[in-house]
Amino acid sequence: PACAVGEPKRPYVGEASFPFVMQNIHRYLIYLAIPILFFLWWDVVNAFTFDGRFGIALGSLALLASNALLTLYTFSCHSIRHLVGGRVDCFSCVVAGGPRHRIWQGSSWLNGHHMAWAWWSLGAVCFADLYVRLCSMGLLHDVRLF
């Protein structure tokens, strides 16, 4: 009597029918996001290379912060938690259960801050993109620190 919602007219099938199946798309898109991170990290390595030698500039630090936060955002997704710990009811009963459990715990901690990683990475990406754009237009000169 306390609930005003009636019973559904058809049996509940979870996320297996439209439109709820659309919620599972991001579980598969994580496999596309991870390779993109490798390309972004390659750009970071190149950003720290000046005339064939190691160097540090404000732009390279901006790209480092941007990619670090994007990586934390990507690996804080609950799809990663499912990838490392999904379908396991007992970590001590599976092969490499101890290390797998520690990875799952780390992923769970990251997942608890998923929204914060999203906002921080958004800000860092916007700053890095704006900084690189202004430098490429000649409005700013990249400050070399080392």
Side-chain angles (χ1 to χ4, degrees):
C3 183
V5 178
E7 290 294 320
K9 294 181 176 60
R10 57 188 171 135
Y12 178 72
V13 292
E15 296 174 354
S17 66
F18 186 81
F20 303 113
V21 72
M22 302 288 285
Q23 295 175 349
N24 289 324
I25 289 175
H26 74 280
R27 290 185 185 170
Y28 304 108
L29 291 179
I30 196 78
Y31 297 113
L32 296 175
I34 291 173
I36 292 171
L37 287 175
F38 286 107
F39 290 109
L40 292 174
W41 280 106
W42 180 251
D43 288 341
V44 169
V45 169
N46 289 330
F48 280 96
T49 306
F50 297 96
D51 299 323
R53 295 190 329 234
F54 176 78
I56 299 175
L58 186 58
S60 54
L61 292 176
L63 287 177
L64 175 66
S66 169
N67 289 338
L69 289 167
L70 274 175
T71 301
L72 288 170
Y73 172 64
T74 302
F75 285 100
S76 70
C77 181
H78 74 275
S79 298
I80 297 292
R81 289 182 68 228
H82 178 74
L83 190 64
V84 297
R87 299 185 184 154
V88 175
D89 293 329
C90 173
F91 281 103
S92 63
C93 304
V94 295
V95 175
R100 191 172 175 186
H101 184 252
R102 284 190 291 281
I103 293 170
W104 179 80
Q105 283 178 317
S107 178
S108 296
W109 181 83
L110 285 173
N111 182 252
H113 305 285
H114 187 62
M115 187 56 67
W117 300 126
W119 284 108
W120 281 103
S121 66
L122 176 66
V125 167
C126 288
F127 173 76
D129 284 350
L130 180 64
Y131 186 80
V132 169
R133 175 73 174 165
L134 292 175
C135 287
S136 70
M137 293 172 60
L139 298 173
L140 287 178
H141 296 288
D142 196 14
V143 179
R144 292 279 305 261
L145 304 173
F146 174 70

